[in-house]
Amino acid sequence: MKRLPVVLFLAWLSLLFYSSIWLFMSGFLLMRIELNNQSSCAEPPPPGVPKTLQPDQAPCWFPLKFQKAVIVIIDALKYDFAKYDPENTDPKPFQNKLEVIHHLTQTQPLHARLYPFRADPPTTTMQRIKGVTTGSLPTFVDVGSNFASYAIQEDNLIHQLVQNGKKVVFMGDDTWDGLFPKKFYKSYFFPSFNVKDLHTVDDGIFRHLYPTVDGGDWDVLIAHFLGVDHCGHKHGPDHPETAKKLAQMNDMIRSLIEHLDDSTLLVVAGDHGMTDTGDHGGDSEKEVNAALFLYSKAPLFGGQLETDPDAVPQVNLVPTLALLLGIPIPYSNLGAVMGDLFHSVHSEASAYQINAQQVDRFLHSYSLAAGDLPAEKLRHLKDLFSSVTEEYERLMSTWSESAALSESDASLQKLVRRQQRYLVEARAVCMESWARFHPLRMIAGCTILSLCCLLCYLVSAAGPSLNVTYKYFLGLPACWSLGTALLLSLGVWTSVLDLDSVSLCFWVSLASLLSFFYYFRKRSCIKNKPRSRSSSLLLSMPSVVLFFRCCSLFSDSFVVAEGEVAPYLLTFLLTVTVAKLHWDGRLTLPIFTPIGSETLKPTLSPSYKREAPRLLGLLLVLTVCVRLSGVFHSCREETPDCQPSPLLAPLASVQDAQIKNLWYMVCVVFLCVIVYLLRKWLQHYGNLNSSSPVVLYVRWGFPLVAMGISCFWALSCGTDDSLTKLQDFTRLALVTFPRVIYALTCLGLLLVIWNPVTVFTKKSRDSDADNTVTTYHGTPGSEAELLHVIPQIYRKMQRNLKNRLQQGTEEKEGKKTAAVEAFGLGSVYSAAMVVTLTLLALVLLMLHSERLTPSFFLLLLEAGLVLYIHSHVANLRSSPDGAELFLVPWYAVTAWTLAATQGFYTTGHQPVFPAIHWNAAFVGFQDGHNNSIVLPAMLVAANTFSSHILFSAGSVLLLLWPFLCEAPIARRKKPKAEPRDGKTRRMTCQ
């Protein structure tokens, strides 16, 4: 096959894969339309506005109750953090720390109240800021915007405050700067994305908080603290650092209250909660349950609650603050006012009516702009709103004719319940619609993806017999795709067809694939070869395993348990593969050979005596490694009984100094073992004899990388209070060591790319004959080069070694002889890949927690075991000419894929947002990334998909590894090479 057609073929296949993924994602991650409409005081409210309000009392929609407000957002403030339990005599580090909240709610029930504050998923900071300022509901795909905070275009509280002449001062998380650019009267932004930094943002706020409050040049002050959230990410909630930070927040609230007057409202809120590991982003109960504390020195509530208040949705804070501060409710708000903040039922009914009219206006505008809200439910909501409005106007007209309204209180209370019902149902309709998937697009994406997988299977099955030509496999599918696109575009242009871009992409991709399958079958690219029953069964087993693996993705229970399913399928597939070898006669049973005419003497087949115990031993070790890797497991929110492994937490969270030191030594030992095994493997196959740059790098570069990682761990696992005198030096070292390791890794990869061959050849004597051996540099250009370069060198070696046997005779005759010694010949290609994968593994290991080093060791060991099992199976199944060694069977590819999936879970990951290791973004970048999201996104992605990166980059070893055991020439006893520098090296080309 020529290079250019193959490259174009792979590019076309990749384009189809990406198209199928885009089709699926367009139906899975739906987005809602954002309206740019804005509420205004100049615009009269809709009919039904309370007639009790006089123009001088209500310059806007509702009379303001507070002149000023201080909004304190404590990031990741769980409800459990704020709730105080006096009966708890042995509290955890995060319990009973906010004592001031408990004291105020108990001693001043009409002035202070604590609510469970329920967030809407995804529980990421940017989406929660958007929710508590706009009152809208984010869709699931909005979580991607957490890395790039674009200015909010929807109407929001900040815009309404500024539009109505309020001076808004902000201090804290710089995420607000991207969401509300140039909106604040004064602002003090501090870098927020470094989750390992516990104090920079909070200390910056403390420098400005009290002077600003006392200065009085403000109307609304917003302070966003991040220390609690970063403590959770770095140490977890059950850690002394979390207790210190919560105690600091307790002192802050107590001091802040002393600086407030009677006309100021204090709001203390958490934007989301956190899991037991300190993460957030999903929709588990621990992540969505935050805390909301309201306080005012003036009476704030109409009566004392007898029981704990119900949970308040976060969007409900938006209309409540808007009406209390005398500004319009943001246009796109879907929240409902908190009725218990309005003293009388009459005021409460008026507030709910304004809120309902605002929501009705938004639903009407949104239904005209988008068609994703169900028409029947919209009609139901419209009828409910009309009846509520009529009843409200009737009651208000009755109140205007009577001086007393005591007899109407019961009617107003019923009206309030109906208003609440309308607001709750309206929010539920929008939430259900915006979380709804598009099944047809998802099916279309799965269809294209399945056809792409079938195409890969057919092409791989064809193997060398596939003749990729421009005409049949590139030109004709391209023509069919272009023709289909033009035909459908013409139909859309003439209004005959009603297709969007997603549907057009599906039909074009489908036409391209079907045309390929047609011409593939027509030209009969796969040569039909008779296969035995056992061989067919062996080939079908990977297909069965792969089929069940794909089917499991459509089952919720199997997706949740994927971490247990993948290791089982891996061990099952390899065990069945080895069993089929025995069934196929490759591993023969003991046979009896007659000796003379006396008795039968039992003998064993040599291959059975050698290979059967090896394969069984490799399978046993692989099973043990798989079981041990399961110790490093994370948990999903769907499995409440599951307890995440404590080994996932970094060493910095370990409080016992002796245990921390012991674990540090264990991690360093495993790191050294990885480097040691690499050197022993290369030494075993004779790849460390030359003085090439790659060999020198392996000798000296890898120990330097391991030493740098060990020093980085030693500094990062210390507590924040340790080495206070050397804090600047420690901060510099935490940046320097990872960057030096990045540089050394790049240097090693460049050396491998420049000259990957580690074969060492030397000629012991001069010769007149042309016996020069030239090692191959670079990657093979074709299969012929890959097939003949090793045998060619071997034949020259064989000829020269034969000459050495005749050395004595030839020297007597006066002839010169020559002998060529080659070291590392059998691993001429695989050695470079092993060096590359080890480099990648060390860098990816540094991006993880230190205590995951044993997991990475087991991961690399599993990969080696899978390769050795595959090499033994491939050599047993190969024909005498060794041609089948160049065909990678499907069982090996499937096992390699399952091992990558299993490695994803055993390195502490889960396919959920709370399991993302955000700390990886700051390995080597303690001070942040200067508002750049590309590099941190790459680091987080490398951490998350480390297992898939390693196995994808190492997939070529499935082709190269069998040659470590046997070269594609005659099987004969290995010639022994002479020792070099007093050490014996093995020539692995047999």
Side-chain angles (χ1 to χ4, degrees):
M1 295 183 289
K2 297 181 179 180
R3 294 183 181 180
L4 185 58
V6 172
V7 171
L8 293 177
F9 176 80
L10 293 177
W12 170 65
L13 185 61
S14 300
L15 182 62
L16 289 175
F17 268 109
Y18 285 118
S19 299
S20 64
I21 295 174
W22 179 68
L23 285 170
F24 181 85
M25 298 295 282
S26 65
F28 180 71
L29 300 179
L30 299 178
M31 299 182 66
R32 64 176 178 86
I33 296 177
E34 294 185 354
L35 302 181
N36 293 328
N37 306 53
Q38 296 178 354
S39 302
S40 174
C41 285
E43 178 184 349
V49 171
K51 301 178 181 179
T52 61
L53 304 178
Q54 301 299 326
D56 57 341
Q57 294 177 320
C60 200
W61 292 4
F62 201 82
L64 60 87
K65 188 175 181 180
F66 293 96
Q67 297 290 339
K68 294 184 177 183
V70 175
I71 303 174
V72 177
I73 296 179
I74 302 177
D75 210 293
L77 182 65
K78 287 179 64 175
Y79 183 67
D80 294 342
F81 293 175
K83 188 176 181 180
Y84 191 93
D85 185 7
E87 298 180 359
N88 189 352
T89 58
D90 186 21
K92 295 182 178 180
F94 60 84
Q95 293 176 334
N96 291 355
K97 294 300 181 291
L98 296 181
E99 182 271 338
V100 63
I101 294 180
H102 173 73
H103 173 74
L104 292 174
T105 54
Q106 294 299 315
T107 59
Q108 304 180 43
L110 299 182
H111 299 257
R113 190 162 293 173
L114 176 65
Y115 297 89
F117 201 35
R118 193 168 184 84
D120 295 302
T123 51
T124 48
T125 297
M126 196 284 284
Q127 283 66 44
R128 295 299 86 236
I129 296 175
K130 190 174 181 180
V132 297
T133 55
T134 64
S136 60
L137 302 175
T139 55
F140 187 74
V141 75
D142 276 348
V143 72
S145 302
N146 194 54
F147 305 101
S149 300
Y150 301 103
I152 295 178
Q153 301 298 326
E154 284 184 303
D155 196 8
N156 55 80
L157 276 177
I158 306 300
H159 170 77
Q160 289 296 334
L161 289 169
V162 175
Q163 193 75 11
N164 290 274
K166 303 287 186 179
K167 297 178 181 179
V168 183
V169 177
F170 178 84
M171 53 189 68
D173 187 351
D174 61 354
T175 304
W176 292 69
D177 186 25
L179 296 175
F180 308 102
K182 300 179 181 180
K183 290 289 186 180
F184 300 110
Y185 177 69
K186 291 181 182 179
S187 58
Y188 306 95
F189 298 112
F190 303 98
S192 61
F193 201 52
N194 188 355
V195 294
K196 291 187 177 182
D197 186 354
L198 307 183
H199 307 295
T200 298
V201 176
D202 294 0
D203 292 345
I205 295 175
F206 284 128
R207 289 195 300 268
H208 302 281
L209 179 60
Y210 304 119
T212 302
V213 173
D214 296 337
D217 191 19
W218 57 276
D219 294 304
V220 175
L221 189 150
I222 304 174
H224 191 157
F225 291 88
L226 287 177
V228 175
D229 178 67
H230 288 187
C231 268
H233 285 295
K234 185 176 182 180
H235 302 291
D238 196 6
H239 192 273
E241 290 293 334
T242 303
K244 294 179 183 179
K245 186 57 66 174
L246 289 173
Q248 185 185 39
M249 295 296 102
N250 184 72
D251 296 338
M252 179 270 299
I253 296 173
R254 179 183 290 109
S255 300
L256 184 59
I257 289 175
E258 297 175 357
H259 292 261
L260 302 181
D261 54 25
D262 294 348
S263 63
T264 303
L265 172 67
L266 174 62
V267 179
V268 179
D271 57 343
H272 52 74
M274 66 170 64
T275 62
D276 293 335
T277 58
D279 301 312
H280 59 91
D283 59 352
S284 66
E285 286 296 317
K286 295 181 180 180
E287 294 170 273
V288 300
N289 282 332
L292 173 64
F293 174 69
L294 300 177
Y295 175 79
S296 173
K297 291 186 176 181
L300 182 60
F301 302 97
Q304 182 178 358
L305 292 181
E306 297 180 357
T307 59
D308 292 336
D310 295 332
V312 176
Q314 283 189 350
V315 292
N316 289 9
L317 184 63
V318 175
T320 303
L321 287 179
L323 296 185
L324 292 177
L325 295 175
I327 61 174
I329 300 176
Y331 194 92
S332 301
N333 166 72
L334 287 171
V337 294
M338 300 168 61
D340 50 356
L341 271 75
F342 301 90
H343 294 288
S344 64
V345 67
H346 321 112
S347 179
E348 184 180 359
S350 300
Y352 274 118
Q353 185 62 27
I354 294 176
N355 193 179
Q357 289 165 170
Q358 170 266 319
V359 172
D360 176 72
R361 181 180 62 179
F362 166 73
L363 293 178
H364 176 71
S365 301
Y366 188 87
S367 62
L368 296 178
D372 53 358
L373 296 179
E376 294 183 0
K377 294 185 178 180
L378 282 178
R379 285 195 295 269
H380 169 71
L381 289 174
K382 191 66 177 179
D383 296 340
L384 181 59
F385 172 75
S386 300
S387 63
V388 167
T389 302
E390 292 177 0
E391 184 177 357
Y392 175 79
E393 291 179 344
R394 181 180 62 80
L395 291 175
M396 288 299 102
S397 62
T398 303
W399 181 85
S400 62
E401 297 174 357
S402 174
L405 193 62
S406 57
E407 65 275 7
S408 302
D409 285 351
S411 300
L412 281 174
Q413 289 175 355
K414 292 181 181 178
L415 173 63
V416 167
R417 287 193 291 269
R418 295 185 63 192
Q419 291 170 331
Q420 291 174 337
R421 176 189 167 192
Y422 167 78
L423 293 171
V424 170
E425 290 188 5
R427 180 170 174 265
V429 168
C430 293
M431 183 182 297
E432 180 184 357
S433 300
W434 294 336
R436 188 179 64 242
F437 302 127
H438 199 299
L440 291 179
R441 292 184 179 182
M442 296 171 65
I443 294 174
C446 292
T447 301
I448 298 299
L449 186 62
S450 301
L451 292 177
C452 289
C453 294
L454 177 61
L455 187 150
C456 292
Y457 178 81
L458 293 177
V459 171
S460 63
S465 62
L466 177 63
N467 184 19
V468 179
T469 60
Y470 292 99
K471 178 180 179 182
Y472 287 98
F473 297 138
L474 295 174
L476 292 178
C479 292
W480 275 97
S481 301
L482 183 60
T484 303
L486 292 176
L487 183 63
L488 294 177
S489 300
L490 181 62
V492 173
W493 183 64
T494 57
S495 300
V496 176
L497 298 175
D498 185 14
L499 297 177
D500 54 8
S501 58
V502 178
S503 302
L504 183 64
C505 175
F506 167 72
W507 290 112
V508 170
S509 302
L510 184 62
S512 179
L513 283 167
L514 293 179
S515 63
F516 176 85
F517 288 134
Y518 173 76
Y519 290 109
F520 185 91
R521 181 178 180 276
K522 182 178 180 181
R523 291 182 60 84
S524 300
C525 296
I526 302 179
K527 297 180 180 179
N528 296 323
K529 297 180 180 180
R531 291 190 175 95
S532 64
R533 175 179 174 273
S534 59
S535 299
S536 301
L537 186 60
L538 177 63
L539 290 177
S540 63
M541 185 54 62
S543 302
V544 173
V545 172
L546 190 60
F547 174 76
F548 281 106
R549 172 73 178 87
C550 295
C551 290
S552 67
L553 299 178
F554 294 92
S555 170
D556 290 340
S557 57
F558 273 96
V559 169
V560 173
E562 187 180 17
E564 289 76 26
V565 173
Y568 168 76
L569 292 178
L570 171 63
T571 54
F572 169 78
L573 175 61
L574 292 178
T575 303
V576 171
T577 301
V578 174
K580 292 306 175 187
L581 278 178
H582 169 70
W583 183 265
D584 201 31
R586 303 291 183 175
L587 296 175
T588 58
L589 289 171
I591 58 175
F592 293 90
T593 304
I595 300 177
S597 58
E598 303 168 350
T599 59
L600 295 178
K601 180 180 179 180
T603 60
L604 289 176
S605 169
S607 64
Y608 183 86
K609 292 167 62 178
R610 182 179 67 254
E611 298 296 340
R614 289 181 182 177
L615 287 174
L616 292 178
L618 291 172
L619 281 175
L620 178 61
V621 177
L622 177 66
T623 304
V624 172
C625 291
V626 169
R627 298 295 296 178
L628 290 177
S629 298
V631 175
F632 304 87
H633 68 279
S634 181
C635 297
R636 295 173 61 114
E637 59 269 18
E638 295 91 344
T639 55
D641 295 334
C642 175
Q643 294 296 327
S645 173
L647 303 179
L648 301 180
L651 283 178
S653 62
V654 180
Q655 303 176 30
D656 193 316
Q658 293 183 351
I659 296 178
K660 179 184 294 187
N661 294 334
L662 177 62
W663 262 110
Y664 175 76
M665 294 304 301
V666 170
C667 295
V668 172
V669 168
F670 273 101
L671 178 63
C672 295
V673 169
I674 292 175
V675 177
Y676 173 77
L677 290 180
L678 167 69
R679 294 192 60 174
K680 291 300 293 183
W681 186 90
L682 294 173
Q683 184 180 4
H684 177 76
Y685 288 103
N687 294 104
L688 293 183
N689 292 278
S690 70
S691 58
S692 65
V694 177
V695 174
L696 294 177
Y697 183 88
V698 172
R699 291 182 180 275
W700 302 105
F702 275 96
L704 287 177
V705 171
M707 184 182 301
I709 295 176
S710 301
C711 294
F712 172 72
W713 287 346
L715 294 173
S716 61
C717 68
T719 60
D720 297 322
D721 298 333
S722 62
L723 299 175
T724 54
K725 296 182 179 180
L726 301 176
Q727 186 175 4
D728 294 337
F729 173 78
T730 303
R731 192 177 187 88
L732 177 62
L734 287 174
V735 174
T736 303
F737 279 115
R739 294 188 181 184
V740 170
I741 294 171
Y742 293 149
L744 287 175
T745 303
C746 293
L747 175 62
L749 294 176
L750 290 175
L751 290 177
V752 173
I753 294 174
W754 175 52
N755 186 11
V757 177
T758 57
V759 174
F760 174 72
T761 60
K762 75 172 184 177
K763 192 189 304 181
S764 60
R765 294 175 180 272
D766 296 330
S767 175
D768 296 334
D770 184 14
N771 290 320
T772 304
V773 178
T774 303
T775 58
Y776 184 77
H777 292 264
T779 56
S782 64
E783 182 180 319
E785 294 178 355
L786 182 66
L787 183 63
H788 296 298
V789 61
I790 296 179
Q792 228 174 19
I793 297 176
Y794 177 79
R795 290 189 184 98
K796 291 185 179 182
M797 291 171 56
Q798 190 180 42
R799 288 195 301 267
N800 286 285
L801 289 172
K802 287 181 179 179
N803 291 336
R804 294 187 63 187
L805 297 177
Q806 304 171 356
Q807 179 179 359
T809 305
E810 293 173 350
E811 286 182 350
K812 291 179 181 180
E813 298 176 358
K815 296 182 180 180
K816 296 181 179 181
T817 61
V820 176
E821 297 175 359
F823 303 93
L825 191 60
S827 55
V828 60
Y829 300 120
S830 54
M833 286 304 307
V834 171
V835 172
T836 301
L837 291 179
T838 307
L839 273 174
L840 292 176
L842 293 179
V843 174
L844 295 173
L845 172 59
M846 185 178 63
L847 297 178
H848 286 75
S849 170
E850 305 91 340
R851 290 199 284 179
L852 284 174
T853 308
S855 177
F856 266 83
F857 172 75
L858 293 173
L859 177 67
L860 296 175
L861 186 58
E862 287 178 30
L865 291 171
V866 172
L867 288 173
Y868 273 107
I869 292 174
H870 164 58
S871 65
H872 284 288
V873 174
N875 281 279
L876 288 170
R877 293 180 56 216
S878 63
S879 57
D881 59 358
E884 292 186 9
L885 292 175
F886 289 95
L887 301 178
V888 180
W890 271 93
Y891 84 87
V893 178
T894 305
W896 197 249
T897 304
L898 292 172
T901 302
Q902 187 241 351
F904 171 79
Y905 291 96
T906 58
T907 52
H909 297 97
Q910 285 283 345
V912 290
F913 286 109
I916 297 178
H917 300 169
W918 305 110
N919 294 346
F922 300 98
V923 177
F925 300 91
Q926 296 292 317
D927 298 327
H929 297 272
N930 298 324
N931 297 325
S932 173
I933 65 170
V934 177
L935 185 57
M938 292 176 59
L939 293 175
V940 173
N943 173 284
T944 305
F945 302 105
S946 55
S947 174
H948 296 87
I949 292 173
L950 289 174
F951 280 89
S952 298
S955 58
V956 68
L957 291 176
L958 293 173
L959 175 65
L960 302 177
W961 209 262
F963 294 98
L964 292 176
C965 299
E966 188 170 14
I969 57 176
R971 300 182 178 90
R972 60 187 66 185
K973 188 175 181 180
K974 274 186 249 183
K976 294 184 179 180
E978 292 183 355
R980 178 177 179 266
D981 296 336
K983 298 179 181 179
T984 302
R985 297 290 185 266
R986 177 181 297 183
M987 284 191 302
T988 57
C989 189
Q990 300 181 6

